[in-house]
Amino acid sequence: MTEPVQINASTATLARTSVFKRILKNPMGLFAIAVLSIMILVAIFAGWIAPFGENTANIGKTLAGADSVNLLGTDSAGRDTFSRLVFGAQTTLLSALLCAAVAISIGLPAGLIAGYYSGPFDSAANWVVNVLMALPGIIVLLTIRAAFGPSVWISMIAFGILISPGYFRLTRTAVQSVRNELYVDAARVSGLSDSRIITRHIFSVVRAPIIIQTAIVCGVAISIQSGLEFLGLGDPTVATWGVMLSEGFKNVYLTPTLLLWPALAIGLAVGSLVLLGNAVRDALEDREKVTVSKRNDPPTVALQMQRGPRKRTASVEVGTEKHLVKVSHLAIGYPQANGTLKPVVNDVSFTVDRGEVLGIVGESGSGKSQTAFSILGLLPPEARIISGSIQFDGEYTVAPGEDIVNQSRLSELRGKRISYIPQEPMSNLDPAYTIGSQLVAPMVKVLGISKAEAKKRALKLLSDVGIVDPARTFGAYPHEVSGGMAQRVLIAGAISCEPDLIIADEPTTALDVTVQAEVLDLIRDLQKRLGVGVILVTHNFGVVADLCDRVVVMQAGRLVEGGEVREILGTPQDPYTITLLDSMLENKTPMTMLVSQGGTKS
Amino acid sequence: MTDAARGDLLVVDDLIVEYPGKGFRAKPFRALTDVSIRIGQGETLGLVGESGSGKTTLGRAVLGLAPVTGGRITFEGEDISHASRKQRQKLSRDLQVVFQDPYTSLNPAMEIGEILAEPLTIQGIGPAESKARIKELLDHVNLPSDALHRQPREFSGGQRQRVAIARALALSPKLIVCDEPVSALDLTTQARVLDLFLQIQQDTGVSYLFVSHDLDVVRHISHRVAVMYHGEIVEQGPASQVTVAPQHPYTQRLLLASPVPDPDRQEVRRANRRRLLDEQKNPDLVAAAGS
Amino acid sequence: MVTFILKRIGSGLVVLAAISCLTFFLLYFSSTNIARNILGEYATPEQVAAKQAELGLDQPIFSRFLAWVAEALTGNFGTSWFTNESVVQAISNRLPVTLALVVTSIVIIAILSTLIGVAAAVKRGWIDRAVQIAAVIGDAIPNFVLAIVFVTIFAIQLGFFPATSSIQPGADGGAWVASLTLPVIALVISGLTSGAQQVRSAVIKQLEKDYVRTLRSRGISEGVILFKHVLRSAAPAGLTVLSLQFIGMLGGVVIIEQIFALPGMGALAVQSTTLGDTPLVMGVVLYTVIIVILVNLLVDLANGWLNPKVRVS
């Protein structure tokens, strides 16, 4: 079972605060919006704000410093720098918008159509995109300027076309990821027309990325345009920041401040647009985050836990060293934003002896996998041991009072004495390396044998786990074998260094039933033959009955019941165990209600 | 017309589904070969098979989501093998779907109310009437009426599946294609959702095409069962027969592969399964022993 | 493998043809007064007509294009209309400067962003936050603005570097280093911030994969997991970013070269397009596009080598 995020319906209504409010709450977003709003206002009311016309020259007063008439001084033609800066905002912002508008109006529809229908239009559009992306942008713009004259607008339309692939790819990818979503299928079954499906279900997905992309594109447009004008290729009759920059650079030895103001304006505008894009992205991601952390909260405990004085690894209680694994009163928690730890495992105790198979049974969110990973020392780094201890073969791996698993102690054991069989066979093999090399490397490292020796052992192991052609599988890449075969490979890896304990996390859940039966047979045979202890994490009582000697049942982080497998499955005491067993379909009268009168919650 | 006369709601005859191969002039991939099923009014046909067996494809073909290369799909006597979007729109009153994954089958950007209103709006039902109907639906699937203005992510898997079932029920369909509707759910949640399916059938007389990989689930909910293997139906018949005393070797293997929650009975089943596998591997030996 | 390369080269040639065609026809609009521009104001109409005929401008556009293609296929890209220098000669004088600038920058960016990105992904904490903030700032400042600031401060005000390049044909290594240091730093800073950010997120994405946990459970050390497994899987994302940066830089150096007065392809591009020097512009565009296509091919090959799944299909 993948563990789905369980969200309690009554706690999550807070999630939908408006994205815009979040952007304003973010200091970067607030700054960006403030700067951009001021710039837009200045641009709109340029005629009123600027004391002089953009080209009004005072030949008698060139390259002057700041004074009460010319707030920021004048340029080499005696034009007022402040006025030109104000008019420059107009042209610069409008041209950036034009560029983005052109790019969107080409890229968005093309991306929607290509993504939704694929087929020949998609191939053609992709070809055009490849051509556009191979074009050296600025050189094309230079050519276009040479052909059509130094108009800001023409070059920005051209640049809009040149960067439309950005929108195209963004939209196409988003649409492709949604096109096969089940809710789109459901809409098709309802007979919704393609255009309604696109506007209703698909457009909402691309909206946010488009806004972010537009902020970034406007920034790029401003810097490209300023760059072109800086080269001296702008329209000299129109005041823009780029033209001013170029003018300033010519006089950099005489009046460096002429360079400062337009550079500052460009930097502020581009910077604000980038910040805005980031703030929008953060606001959208934040919204996701809030809802995820809003699980049905059990009471949280304060982060400051009782913590014993640090000392050398304590020795375990006398008489318990005979157990292979002993977990005592274990509690695991994750830090929350408010500084508390939220427990996911609470006061769990059990033991496993050599050659014994213990099942940990529970539904999603029961903490069964967390418990197993704490024994392996493979909890996520932010996880904390709140209380309790874990000992392996007579020594603590988590001593009482320690709040994280001691990695140096466990790295001695992992792979060598404790090994792991994961749930999902395919994602647990590195796709970039052959199966053989992934089996050989741990043996070379852990057992200290040569590569040739390790290869010989790996081939033997592969045949031991029932693979018919070991040599071929040895040389294959993970994507070249089936799921069942990959799981056999992972089992071979788990036993390769002759461990004392195997932790198997839902080892058959991802497999077909017939393959599951074969893999269960394999695990049983190997366990008997090697006399290894096994902790089997599962949600399936059938698997427990098939393999386990003893079983513990977990619910919401707590251990509700434990004992011999016949005892628990035959005469369960705890009401939760009884409910679970009652939910099994095997041996029930078909077509009858399982839960009396149907519950109201699920 | 003879099919309709016999009261069959859905008739699939010799259905072939082929997906175009990837790349230029590639060989098409055949997902279904000569599949024939029929479902009567108020009847549940369970469709069981392993991953890649084509069971999901069959459900999708009935819904118009998979390309029909050959054969015929008839619904209430009308050929719907190649129904247009317009015909589908009309058909959607009677033919609905519940998908496996309750996390992706509901649009995360829409409120529950909007999701449930969508099929009603398409059929031209006014806002007042559809609002009343949605209230009724939420009640029917045991969801609180304040769910209307919430978004799917605020609900657990089981609750989302209830929303999906309510959406399917909105137009009071005659047949619902259920594609692994309980596979992503926890055991106790699965039990409650199965109860809901049974309850709805009792109340409304709807038929189900119930696709699942789990023989136990299919046995529990179906009147009749069809077993799929490599794109073909290998066995079909009453649930009590197919899921208890199957004839086809694959179904026999399937039945004995599923472990039972009792160590002693499981040991017996394991032994039986071993014996069956040996028999199937050496049929001559068995035949010789039998004679 | 060979078929893959041949296919890619084939499609590259088609792209090349499309772009030359497009550029040639665009240039047509700017070449109407070319003869007059070359000869100056005082030329007689007869001289102008003669010059037009000499350049082939009296021919219809299609036959001019075909003639150009026929010549180009033999490796002859003609001579500049204005300087009479051969196009190949002009470009081979300028290309090394641009390539030195761009390749040096990309190599430095690749190395530094890998180091910083991996450190940020593994250590998290302050270095991670610093990388993320730097990425935003780096995106926010256009690299030519940064270059202008550098020139103003380090070359003009402080005099640490020459403000104008001393690279000439036959100049020694010292001149190259002195002239290229500042522009390379300007390019590296703006590329590094986003590069490191991309490497960081690619590495984090890989570290969260299931197989990393399984490798840990097998007793493989963190270093091996990071450098042998994680980095290899994260590399395609990094390579893609680098190739995009490379292509962006090929265009962006036009401005950078102008600021630092470097005699590279950028300066040639500005000069030739401003004058409407068709043969030279065509040469510049073709060389740039060929480099872009080669870089993309290399990146695809590298990704195929890194990811066996891509290799098969």
Side-chain angles (χ1 to χ4, degrees):
Chain A
M1 284 255 156
T2 52
E3 308 221 340
V5 179
Q6 294 282 333
I7 295 158
N8 192 315
S10 57
T11 56
T13 27
L14 270 174
R16 262 177 291 135
T17 33
S18 95
V19 173
F20 187 67
K21 269 190 195 148
R22 273 172 198 288
I23 296 171
L24 289 182
K25 269 191 194 157
N26 178 341
M28 293 200 305
L30 185 65
F31 172 80
I33 287 187
V35 171
L36 290 174
S37 319
I38 292 171
M39 281 187 177
I40 290 168
L41 286 177
V42 164
I44 293 173
F45 299 107
W48 285 278
I49 295 171
F52 299 94
E54 56 183 313
N55 289 318
T56 312
N58 178 357
I59 306 294
K61 194 179 175 187
T62 58
L63 298 176
D67 59 30
S68 58
V69 181
N70 301 107
L71 291 173
L72 303 174
T74 59
D75 66 8
S76 61
R79 294 173 295 194
D80 180 45
T81 303
F82 177 70
S83 305
R84 283 175 70 76
L85 211 53
V86 168
F87 280 108
Q90 214 169 31
T91 331
T92 308
L93 293 182
L94 264 180
S95 61
L97 276 182
L98 173 69
C99 172
V102 170
I104 291 177
S105 56
I106 297 171
L108 180 67
L112 281 174
I113 297 170
Y116 190 73
Y117 293 106
S118 49
F121 180 83
D122 189 29
S123 327
N126 266 311
W127 194 82
V128 173
V129 161
N130 283 339
V131 172
L132 284 177
M133 306 258 302
L135 280 172
I138 292 204
I139 296 172
V140 173
L141 291 180
L142 290 175
T143 314
I144 282 171
R145 184 200 160 271
F148 299 107
S151 158
V152 175
W153 313 113
I154 290 179
S155 60
M156 281 295 104
I157 290 174
F159 189 60
I161 298 171
L162 281 180
I163 57 169
S164 59
Y167 284 100
F168 172 82
R169 292 197 159 175
L170 188 78
T171 316
R172 179 168 167 271
T173 317
V175 173
Q176 279 178 335
S177 70
V178 179
R179 184 184 59 188
N180 293 325
E181 289 283 349
L182 291 174
Y183 63 79
V184 174
D185 280 342
R188 277 195 201 116
V189 170
S190 298
L192 213 61
S193 65
D194 281 349
S195 58
R196 295 260 319 261
I197 290 178
I198 289 176
T199 49
R200 243 181 112 79
H201 291 282
I202 291 181
F203 190 66
S204 62
V205 178
V206 292
R207 204 171 38 200
I210 291 281
I211 293 172
I212 296 165
Q213 174 87 352
T214 301
I216 293 164
V217 160
C218 284
V220 174
I222 290 176
S223 60
I224 286 287
Q225 187 210 325
S226 314
L228 283 177
E229 287 159 351
F230 174 77
L231 291 174
L233 304 176
D235 184 349
T237 62
V238 184
T240 67
W241 295 339
V243 167
M244 295 176 69
L245 201 65
S246 169
E247 162 84 23
F249 195 61
K250 278 180 205 144
N251 297 298
V252 64
Y253 288 97
L254 300 168
T255 1
T257 49
L258 272 184
L259 198 57
L260 174 69
W261 299 115
L264 202 63
I266 294 169
L268 267 179
V270 177
S272 303
L273 285 164
V274 171
L275 286 180
L276 181 66
N278 273 299
V280 174
R281 179 181 304 141
D282 287 351
L284 290 167
E285 281 173 6
D286 222 30
R287 209 168 83 152
E288 304 293 317
K289 251 183 258 160
V290 166
T291 53
V292 171
S293 62
K294 280 263 169 202
R295 302 177 183 202
N296 31 350
D297 288 282
T300 49
V301 284
L303 196 62
Q304 311 83 297
M305 292 300 305
Q306 78 287 8
R307 189 168 299 166
R310 290 234 167 249
K311 50 187 175 207
R312 302 228 154 257
T313 315
S315 41
V316 301
E317 241 173 90
V318 181
T320 62
E321 66 273 1
K322 67 173 172 36
H323 296 300
L324 184 58
V325 178
K326 181 168 187 284
V327 174
S328 321
H329 306 291
L330 181 71
I332 304 169
Y334 286 85
Q336 299 295 292
N338 61 9
T340 57
L341 277 176
K342 199 184 82 183
V344 294
V345 171
N346 237 326
D347 196 25
V348 166
S349 306
F350 57 82
T351 61
V352 184
D353 290 339
R354 285 182 182 71
E356 183 185 44
V357 183
L358 174 82
I360 305 182
V361 175
E363 295 187 303
S364 50
S366 62
K368 57 188 191 300
S369 294
Q370 295 288 324
T371 308
F373 284 132
S374 70
I375 299 169
L376 270 166
L378 291 179
L379 290 170
E382 60 272 21
R384 288 288 169 274
I385 307 290
I386 300 173
S387 64
S389 63
I390 302 173
Q391 64 192 61
F392 177 80
D393 197 21
E395 278 182 45
Y396 282 121
T397 55
V398 177
E402 289 183 334
D403 69 342
I404 51 168
V405 180
N406 186 321
Q407 288 301 329
S408 66
R409 247 173 274 154
L410 259 161
S411 58
E412 296 281 293
L413 301 171
R414 258 199 315 258
K416 198 181 244 166
R417 303 196 55 200
I418 309 179
S419 70
Y420 167 60
I421 303 174
Q423 169 178 1
E424 182 62 55
M426 280 309 179
S427 67
N428 278 287
L429 290 166
D430 185 343
Y433 291 91
T434 60
I435 284 169
S437 78
Q438 296 187 54
L439 282 173
V440 164
M443 284 194 274
V444 171
K445 167 95 196 311
V446 172
L447 302 176
I449 55 178
S450 72
K451 270 198 173 168
E453 174 76 4
K455 180 173 179 183
K456 234 166 68 193
R457 286 186 63 137
L459 289 170
K460 168 89 173 39
L461 281 166
L462 286 173
S463 107
D464 282 355
V465 296
I467 286 172
V468 187
D469 188 350
R472 203 176 129 202
T473 308
F474 186 91
Y477 283 97
H479 67 269
E480 295 168 338
V481 304
S482 71
M485 185 108 79
Q487 193 61 309
R488 286 172 192 274
V489 168
L490 284 161
I491 292 172
I495 59 167
S496 64
C497 299
E498 294 171 348
D500 300 316
L501 174 70
I502 295 177
I503 292 178
D505 181 23
E506 302 264 13
T508 58
T509 307
L511 307 174
D512 277 323
V513 191
T514 46
V515 183
Q516 161 171 295
E518 291 164 14
V519 170
L520 289 177
D521 282 351
L522 173 65
I523 295 177
R524 187 182 322 95
D525 291 348
L526 290 170
Q527 191 271 330
K528 290 244 165 69
R529 198 149 55 81
L530 305 171
V532 60
V534 174
I535 295 179
L536 181 84
V537 176
T538 182
H539 69 283
N540 188 332
F541 276 109
V543 171
V544 170
D546 191 62
L547 273 183
C548 299
D549 302 312
R550 287 189 306 117
V551 61
V552 295
V553 182
M554 288 187 69
Q555 182 200 16
R558 291 178 181 281
L559 199 154
V560 297
E561 193 171 7
E564 292 296 318
V565 77
R566 282 184 177 72
E567 195 182 301
I568 301 288
L569 294 186
T571 51
Q573 301 300 310
D574 187 86
Y576 177 70
T577 318
I578 296 173
T579 318
L580 275 182
L581 282 167
D582 280 348
S583 303
M584 295 285 297
L585 296 166
E586 205 270 335
N587 247 358
K588 298 282 185 325
T589 316
M591 301 268 175
T592 52
M593 296 294 166
L594 295 158
V595 188
S596 49
Q597 296 311 306
T600 47
K601 283 191 217 137
S602 58
Chain B
M1 279 323 282
T2 50
D3 298 328
R6 269 173 41 193
D8 281 338
L9 193 59
L10 178 81
V11 179
V12 175
D13 282 320
D14 303 322
L15 181 66
I16 296 171
V17 170
E18 280 176 352
Y19 286 102
K22 282 202 177 124
F24 188 56
R25 276 196 215 137
K27 217 173 64 184
F29 168 73
R30 178 168 276 209
L32 292 182
T33 309
D34 295 336
V35 167
S36 303
I37 54 165
R38 47 200 66 225
I39 301 176
Q41 309 257 353
E43 186 187 43
T44 302
L45 176 71
L47 199 57
V48 72
E50 60 190 21
S51 52
S53 63
K55 58 187 191 303
T56 291
T57 306
L58 176 51
R60 292 178 69 84
V62 170
L63 294 165
L65 298 172
V68 174
T69 319
R72 249 159 59 101
I73 304 175
T74 318
F75 185 78
E76 289 193 299
E78 187 190 347
D79 187 347
I80 59 161
S81 320
H82 303 280
S84 66
R85 197 59 69 89
K86 261 258 141 36
Q87 283 170 286
R88 284 276 160 204
Q89 188 176 330
K90 225 177 100 213
L91 205 56
S92 73
R93 288 169 197 266
D94 296 326
L95 181 56
Q96 273 297 333
V97 63
V98 177
F99 288 112
Q100 165 177 11
D101 188 349
Y103 292 87
T104 60
S105 67
L106 307 176
N107 186 339
M110 286 164 73
E111 291 178 357
I112 302 301
E114 295 173 85
I115 290 172
L116 293 179
E118 187 167 69
L120 298 166
T121 321
I122 296 170
Q123 301 298 335
I125 293 167
E129 197 182 332
S130 91
K131 211 170 166 185
R133 175 70 182 145
I134 290 167
K135 279 238 160 72
E136 208 176 286
L137 287 168
L138 287 175
D139 193 48
H140 205 149
V141 298
N142 297 322
L143 281 174
S145 54
D146 68 339
L148 270 183
H149 296 295
R150 302 236 200 90
Q151 286 181 321
R153 62 161 175 270
E154 298 171 37
F155 294 93
S156 70
Q159 287 170 324
R160 289 184 203 207
Q161 206 57 308
R162 283 169 194 273
V163 174
I165 294 170
R167 175 177 58 191
L169 285 176
L171 298 166
S172 310
K174 295 181 178 143
L175 173 68
I176 302 180
V177 175
C178 309
D179 186 8
E180 301 261 14
V182 294
S183 306
L185 306 177
D186 268 331
L187 200 54
T188 48
T189 315
Q190 166 179 302
R192 292 198 187 96
V193 172
L194 283 177
D195 281 358
L196 180 62
F197 274 115
L198 286 173
Q199 186 68 53
I200 288 169
Q201 190 166 53
Q202 278 176 21
D203 295 350
T204 66
V206 68
S207 307
Y208 296 128
L209 173 60
F210 202 99
V211 178
S212 177
H213 70 279
D214 189 334
L215 198 62
D216 290 330
V217 168
V218 163
R219 177 196 303 120
H220 188 77
I221 198 146
S222 314
H223 300 95
R224 287 190 308 114
V225 171
V227 183
M228 292 205 69
Y229 189 59
H230 293 332
E232 290 178 59
I233 289 183
V234 294
E235 183 165 7
Q236 195 167 182
S240 53
Q241 188 246 309
V242 175
T243 65
V244 179
Q247 301 302 308
H248 190 272
Y250 171 71
T251 323
Q252 291 168 344
R253 290 204 297 276
L254 196 64
L255 177 66
L256 292 180
S258 161
V260 294
D262 177 328
D264 302 312
R265 279 200 294 128
Q266 172 59 16
E267 214 176 314
V268 176
R269 175 167 280 202
R270 212 157 55 213
N272 289 339
R273 177 172 152 269
R274 286 256 167 82
R275 197 175 317 123
L276 176 78
L277 288 179
D278 287 343
E279 282 172 14
Q280 291 187 355
K281 242 183 238 160
N282 307 309
D284 306 337
L285 221 87
V286 179
S291 62
Chain C
M1 192 61 171
V2 178
T3 27
F4 173 75
I5 295 177
L6 287 179
K7 250 185 180 171
R8 287 306 305 261
I9 291 177
S11 77
L13 288 177
V14 177
V15 168
L16 202 60
I19 290 175
S20 355
C21 189
L22 208 72
T23 317
F24 200 91
F25 286 95
L26 259 181
L27 284 168
Y28 170 74
F29 291 100
S30 62
S31 62
T32 38
N33 280 325
I34 269 302
R36 164 72 60 197
N37 290 350
I38 296 171
L39 297 172
E41 278 180 64
Y42 302 109
T44 61
E46 290 76 29
Q47 283 173 311
V48 170
K51 190 74 186 172
Q52 291 229 331
E54 182 197 329
L55 299 177
L57 290 174
D58 51 349
Q59 304 288 318
I61 175 92
F62 283 103
S63 48
R64 275 172 60 196
F65 181 61
L66 289 178
W68 179 84
V69 170
E71 285 293 309
L73 285 178
T74 65
N76 177 14
F77 292 96
T79 55
S80 160
W81 284 348
F82 286 80
T83 64
N84 280 326
E85 193 186 6
S86 104
V87 169
V88 175
Q89 186 64 39
I91 289 174
S92 55
N93 280 340
R94 312 294 193 103
L95 196 58
V97 178
T98 300
L99 280 185
L101 178 61
V102 173
V103 172
T104 314
S105 305
I106 281 289
V107 169
I108 296 176
I109 289 173
I111 295 169
L112 289 183
S113 36
T114 308
L115 291 177
I116 298 174
V118 168
V122 175
K123 301 262 183 241
R124 307 305 276 265
W126 68 268
I127 182 167
D128 189 22
R129 248 165 288 146
V131 166
Q132 299 204 56
I133 293 169
V136 174
I137 297 172
D139 279 348
I141 303 173
N143 61 12
F144 77 95
V145 173
L146 201 67
I148 291 173
V149 172
F150 277 14
V151 165
T152 317
I153 297 175
F154 295 107
I156 294 172
Q157 304 287 336
L158 299 174
F160 290 169
F161 295 94
T164 339
S165 138
S166 48
I167 295 179
Q168 283 143 11
D172 64 352
W176 284 74
V177 171
S179 305
L180 289 181
T181 305
L182 272 187
V184 164
I185 293 176
L187 285 176
V188 166
I189 287 182
S190 49
L192 177 60
T193 47
S194 66
Q197 157 85 348
Q198 298 285 347
V199 172
R200 171 196 172 270
S201 39
V203 168
I204 287 181
K205 205 172 141 201
Q206 290 299 321
L207 280 173
E208 284 168 355
K209 289 265 165 89
D210 286 351
Y211 73 82
V212 172
R213 187 166 59 198
T214 302
L215 286 170
R216 287 192 179 125
S217 81
R218 298 278 187 266
I220 304 285
S221 68
E222 284 299 309
V224 174
I225 291 178
L226 189 60
F227 290 102
K228 195 176 150 194
H229 296 275
V230 167
L231 218 48
R232 178 169 179 164
S233 302
L239 277 179
T240 307
V241 172
L242 280 181
S243 74
L244 286 177
Q245 285 200 355
F246 187 92
I247 295 167
M249 264 186 210
L250 277 183
V253 286
V254 173
I255 300 168
I256 298 284
E257 283 174 5
Q258 190 81 357
I259 294 170
F260 293 96
L262 287 165
M265 291 281 277
L268 196 62
V270 174
Q271 177 201 325
S272 57
T273 50
T274 318
L275 293 172
D277 196 339
T278 303
L280 207 45
V281 176
M282 291 302 292
V284 168
V285 169
L286 281 194
Y287 267 83
T288 319
V289 172
I290 289 173
I291 294 173
V292 169
I293 290 171
L294 282 180
V295 165
N296 282 336
L297 178 65
L298 283 179
V299 167
D300 283 344
L301 286 178
N303 281 346
W305 175 74
L306 287 164
N307 184 351
K309 220 166 161 177
V310 175
R311 210 184 301 159
V312 175
S313 61

